[in-house]
Amino acid sequence: MPIAEKIPSRKRETSPQDIDAFRVIMQTHNRKLYRLARSIVQNNSDAEDVLQDAYFRAFTHFSEFRGDSAVATWLSRIVINEALGRLRQGRRRRRLTEDMLQTHQAEIIAFPRSADTDDPEKTMAQRQILDLVEKATDQLPDIYRTVFVMRVIEGLSNEETADLLALRPETVRTRLFRARHLIKEQLERQIGPLLLDAFPFAGKRCERLTEAVLARIQVPGGGDR
């Protein structure tokens, strides 16, 4: 547990100190728990709703937290339950075909982005690769997708993932192996066209080199280095 993370009191009344502690907990775990919810409901808006409901349920029942596990593990279980509950409700309201259409139209997991760059070609190439990975992850079958997100994206151990999903460790390993294989196949089918744009040299880079050469040409002795 991070040093900055404080455990709120387990009193029924919520104190200002509890509010501060809840804020720290959310700031610490937001991204991890959002991704976990997103891997199940496959929709950004629903994932936010799940996370909000999970936090509300957790913080209004904090007296039930016995400390047998880390706060992150306890919250993860609540998020999983909320996400699965919302998924069941959604499936009752919509037919499977409609769900599939919405899945393909949904926005995708927000993986960490690299630092901003002034090179538009590099930025575009990175965005294309991330899009492919995100779409491939979204298209994984349910039983593989959550395991993949927890193990690869969030870096949880095999045992932690098995505990949270109530699976045997060997089942987690098998599903992760299968998920990686499916993503690899998906990327191999789509990566071909992107390779045509590999090592781009245009735009600002091309212009910068061109101007540098022209400047050297115009300066007496500029080419003698």
Side-chain angles (χ1 to χ4, degrees):
M1 181 184 303
I3 296 176
E5 182 175 316
K6 299 178 180 178
I7 300 297
S9 66
R10 294 194 177 95
K11 299 180 296 183
R12 187 171 297 277
E13 301 81 9
T14 302
S15 68
Q17 291 76 19
D18 289 340
I19 295 299
D20 290 339
F22 291 152
R23 180 177 290 109
V24 171
I25 289 174
M26 286 187 284
Q27 291 171 344
T28 301
H29 301 292
N30 266 346
R31 186 171 69 172
K32 172 183 176 180
L33 296 176
Y34 169 80
R35 286 173 170 173
L36 180 56
R38 179 63 178 76
S39 73
I40 296 173
V41 298
Q42 289 189 274
N43 178 281
N44 287 352
S45 178
D46 285 347
E48 290 185 20
D49 289 343
V50 165
L51 191 53
Q52 186 175 137
D53 290 346
Y55 277 139
F56 181 80
R57 181 182 297 275
F59 295 156
T60 54
H61 295 82
F62 208 84
S63 59
E64 298 176 10
F65 176 61
R66 299 188 301 273
D68 297 337
S69 59
V71 171
T73 302
W74 184 65
L75 289 172
S76 295
R77 290 194 179 107
I78 295 175
V79 167
I80 289 172
N81 289 335
E82 289 288 340
L84 291 175
R86 181 171 290 266
L87 203 60
R88 286 191 290 269
Q89 292 173 4
R91 283 171 176 169
R92 284 197 294 266
R93 289 193 302 264
R94 301 182 298 269
R95 294 186 180 275
L96 182 60
T97 345
E98 188 177 357
D99 272 345
M100 291 297 291
L101 288 174
Q102 291 180 358
T103 294
H104 289 294
Q105 292 169 355
E107 293 184 38
I108 46 190
I109 297 174
F111 288 90
R113 301 297 194 262
S114 56
D116 293 339
T117 172
D118 293 330
D119 188 338
E121 298 151 2
K122 184 175 181 180
T123 300
M124 181 177 296
Q126 290 174 337
R127 181 62 260 174
Q128 286 178 310
I129 292 171
L130 285 172
D131 281 346
L132 288 177
V133 173
E134 292 171 346
K135 288 175 182 176
T137 301
D138 257 357
Q139 291 171 8
L140 286 172
D142 293 348
I143 62 171
Y144 302 134
R145 186 175 56 255
T146 302
V147 167
F148 180 80
V149 169
M150 295 176 74
R151 288 284 285 111
V152 176
I153 308 301
E154 287 307 321
L156 296 183
S157 69
N158 197 71
E159 290 69 25
E160 288 172 326
T161 304
D163 182 48
L164 285 172
L165 299 178
L167 297 171
R168 295 182 302 169
E170 51 267 34
T171 302
V172 171
R173 282 192 290 269
T174 299
R175 291 185 181 183
L176 178 60
F177 175 82
R178 182 59 179 158
R180 282 174 165 161
H181 179 71
L182 290 172
I183 285 182
K184 180 182 177 183
E185 285 185 337
Q186 181 77 0
L187 293 178
E188 285 176 347
R189 285 196 296 268
Q190 300 184 49
I191 203 71
L194 285 181
L195 293 179
L196 297 175
D197 297 324
F199 306 107
F201 195 83
K204 288 186 178 180
R205 295 174 66 197
C206 178
E207 181 181 345
R208 184 168 57 246
L209 183 139
T210 302
E211 294 303 322
V213 171
L214 293 177
R216 289 178 62 183
I217 291 174
Q218 296 177 56
V219 175
D224 301 327
R225 291 187 181 179

